[in-house]
Amino acid sequence: MEGFFQFDTVDEYNKLNNHETLHPLVNIIDFSKADRRSWGGAKTIKINYGLYCVFLKEVKCGDLKYGRNYYDYQEGTLVFVSPGQVMEIENSGEMYQPIGHGLVFHSDLLAGTSLAKKIQEYGFFSYNLNEALHLSEKERKIVLDYFTRIKDELQQGVDKHSKKLITSTIELFLNHCERFYDRQFLTRDNANQGTIEKFEELLNGYFKSELPQSNGLPSVAYFADALHLSPNYFGDLIKKETGKSAQEYVQNKIIEISKNRMFDHSKTVNEIAYELGFKYPQHFTRLFKQRVGQTPKEYRMVI
């Protein structure tokens, strides 16, 4: 049995969780106030959020999935959702009591604010697998402190200052979440290193195969999908581990391989470009000149 639910307004989500709507565009949810849930007995529930949501749940309500992939979700982790994302929950179909807290806000709240320009820069709103933010106890307290600040402001009543104060507090909170993710990248160093090694293997395997001729140059999204990571998270991880963007890493590999193939004088530069996946050889020549300081033909003359 499968159930589908959609929440397009803060008021709709408030009603689900037995909360009063103090502001039509934002609220802090205390899930312990919600009724026990069974979602109509459905074992698979899909929820389409028309809102930005940050959940800090203290009890597992089932396994979470975005798209085809499972989310690395445990008790005490932060889960981020942006408008239009569909979250899938797999559970036993039995009733359970949700516990924890959440921040929900509509995109209209951001109109005309500095956060409106920055919200797309927070990559964790598009992370989708093995990328939940695992909090330390100190970080958890900071999260709850920000939730309390927003809740206190909501209880003051809506006036001309409310929007500015609330959105600036949300922006500070999200900036802290960026710091928490940076810390997570460092503390999960061994797992990250394994990802780098797998990325290197995939890169080498791609260019040893016939894929470049059939599929062209590989995209960052291709490798992220192969590693079961979202492109944003994968890009952040590569950047923090290597100091280079994932695109730069791929291009460096292309230059490394192309240099080796230059020794085979039976092949023209154009043939090497096509073998590497370039649709137009001049694009290969331009990239090679940018990275090496010489055109492929110039490089070939001195090796």
Side-chain angles (χ1 to χ4, degrees), residues 101-117:
H101 297 81
L103 163 65
V104 295
F105 59 96
H106 196 280
S107 57
D108 287 352
L109 177 73
L110 311 184
T113 70
S114 62
L115 184 55
K117 301 175 183 177

Side-chain angles (χ1 to χ4, degrees), residues 87-100:
M87 180 184 290
E88 187 173 324
I89 305 173
E90 296 178 353
N91 63 21
S92 64
E94 298 177 358
M95 295 187 71
Y96 68 94
Q97 176 62 54
I99 301 174

Side-chain angles (χ1 to χ4, degrees), residues 19-147:
H19 280 62
E20 181 183 358
T21 300
L22 301 175
H23 191 295
L25 299 178
V26 59
N27 202 13
I28 297 297
I29 304 295
D30 178 353
F31 288 105
S32 67
K33 294 182 179 180
D35 295 331
R36 287 170 59 83
R37 287 182 183 155
S38 67
W39 301 106
K43 292 187 177 181
T44 301
I45 305 102
K46 291 184 178 179
I47 306 174
N48 188 334
Y49 292 93
L51 309 165
Y52 286 99
C53 309
V54 183
F55 299 129
L56 175 61
K57 293 194 175 182
E58 305 297 344
V59 63
K60 287 200 68 171
C61 55
D63 292 324
L64 302 188
K65 289 178 71 177
Y66 285 145
R68 296 169 299 164
N69 302 315
Y70 285 94
Y71 197 79
D72 182 15
Y73 167 60
Q74 304 166 16
E75 295 177 26
T77 56
L78 275 184
V79 178
F80 298 85
V81 182
S82 61
Q85 286 184 338
V86 177
M87 180 184 290
E88 187 173 324
I89 305 173
E90 296 178 353
N91 63 21
S92 64
E94 298 177 358
M95 295 187 71
Y96 68 94
Q97 176 62 54
I99 301 174
H101 297 81
L103 163 65
V104 295
F105 59 96
H106 196 280
S107 57
D108 287 352
L109 177 73
L110 311 184
T113 70
S114 62
L115 184 55
K117 301 175 183 177
K118 191 178 179 183
I119 192 72
Q120 298 301 324
E121 297 176 14
Y122 297 111
F124 40 74
F125 275 113
S126 60
Y127 290 166
N128 62 4
L129 176 66
N130 294 323
E131 300 139 18
L133 178 49
H134 303 276
L135 299 176
S136 68
E137 185 56 31
K138 181 179 179 181
E139 290 166 347
R140 180 179 174 278
K141 289 177 180 177
I142 291 172
V143 169
L144 292 174
D145 178 60
Y146 272 104
F147 285 2

Side-chain angles (χ1 to χ4, degrees), residues 8-282:
D8 292 319
T9 68
V10 170
D11 184 61
E12 289 174 343
Y13 202 65
N14 285 340
K15 288 176 179 176
L16 172 71
N17 294 288
N18 296 329
H19 280 62
E20 181 183 358
T21 300
L22 301 175
H23 191 295
L25 299 178
V26 59
N27 202 13
I28 297 297
I29 304 295
D30 178 353
F31 288 105
S32 67
K33 294 182 179 180
D35 295 331
R36 287 170 59 83
R37 287 182 183 155
S38 67
W39 301 106
K43 292 187 177 181
T44 301
I45 305 102
K46 291 184 178 179
I47 306 174
N48 188 334
Y49 292 93
L51 309 165
Y52 286 99
C53 309
V54 183
F55 299 129
L56 175 61
K57 293 194 175 182
E58 305 297 344
V59 63
K60 287 200 68 171
C61 55
D63 292 324
L64 302 188
K65 289 178 71 177
Y66 285 145
R68 296 169 299 164
N69 302 315
Y70 285 94
Y71 197 79
D72 182 15
Y73 167 60
Q74 304 166 16
E75 295 177 26
T77 56
L78 275 184
V79 178
F80 298 85
V81 182
S82 61
Q85 286 184 338
V86 177
M87 180 184 290
E88 187 173 324
I89 305 173
E90 296 178 353
N91 63 21
S92 64
E94 298 177 358
M95 295 187 71
Y96 68 94
Q97 176 62 54
I99 301 174
H101 297 81
L103 163 65
V104 295
F105 59 96
H106 196 280
S107 57
D108 287 352
L109 177 73
L110 311 184
T113 70
S114 62
L115 184 55
K117 301 175 183 177
K118 191 178 179 183
I119 192 72
Q120 298 301 324
E121 297 176 14
Y122 297 111
F124 40 74
F125 275 113
S126 60
Y127 290 166
N128 62 4
L129 176 66
N130 294 323
E131 300 139 18
L133 178 49
H134 303 276
L135 299 176
S136 68
E137 185 56 31
K138 181 179 179 181
E139 290 166 347
R140 180 179 174 278
K141 289 177 180 177
I142 291 172
V143 169
L144 292 174
D145 178 60
Y146 272 104
F147 285 2
T148 298
R149 291 189 210 180
I150 296 169
K151 182 179 178 180
D152 288 346
E153 178 56 37
L154 288 171
Q155 291 175 340
Q156 297 295 321
V158 179
D159 59 30
K160 65 179 183 179
H161 303 288
S162 300
K163 180 174 180 175
K164 182 177 180 180
L165 290 169
I166 292 171
T167 56
S168 62
T169 304
I170 292 174
E171 185 170 353
L172 280 172
F173 164 63
L174 295 177
N175 288 341
H176 269 88
C177 291
E178 279 194 313
R179 171 184 279 179
F180 299 159
Y181 260 114
D182 284 346
R183 183 272 310 157
Q184 180 163 295
F185 276 121
L186 294 174
T187 56
R188 299 178 75 180
D189 214 24
N190 291 337
N192 293 347
Q193 191 58 44
T195 299
I196 300 297
E197 292 171 356
K198 291 175 184 175
F199 177 35
E200 183 72 18
E201 290 175 8
L202 285 170
L203 262 175
N204 290 329
Y206 189 91
F207 287 107
K208 287 178 181 176
S209 71
E210 302 298 319
L211 288 173
Q213 291 94 312
S214 59
N215 296 351
L217 293 171
S219 65
V220 171
Y222 169 85
F223 292 111
D225 186 61
L227 293 167
H228 307 295
L229 298 170
S230 67
N232 278 6
Y233 186 85
F234 175 65
D236 286 350
L237 190 155
I238 296 300
K239 182 71 173 179
K240 292 181 189 299
E241 289 294 317
T242 69
K244 301 180 179 65
S245 71
Q247 185 65 37
E248 288 175 315
Y249 199 99
V250 172
Q251 290 177 348
N252 286 349
K253 176 61 66 174
I254 291 170
I255 296 302
E256 175 190 325
I257 293 171
S258 66
K259 283 181 176 180
N260 289 329
R261 295 188 184 184
M262 291 290 181
F263 285 94
D264 184 357
H265 288 269
S266 67
K267 294 179 180 177
T268 66
V269 169
N270 285 1
E271 287 174 329
I272 292 172
Y274 289 129
E275 284 182 355
L276 291 169
F278 286 89
K279 188 175 181 180
Y280 303 105
Q282 59 266 34

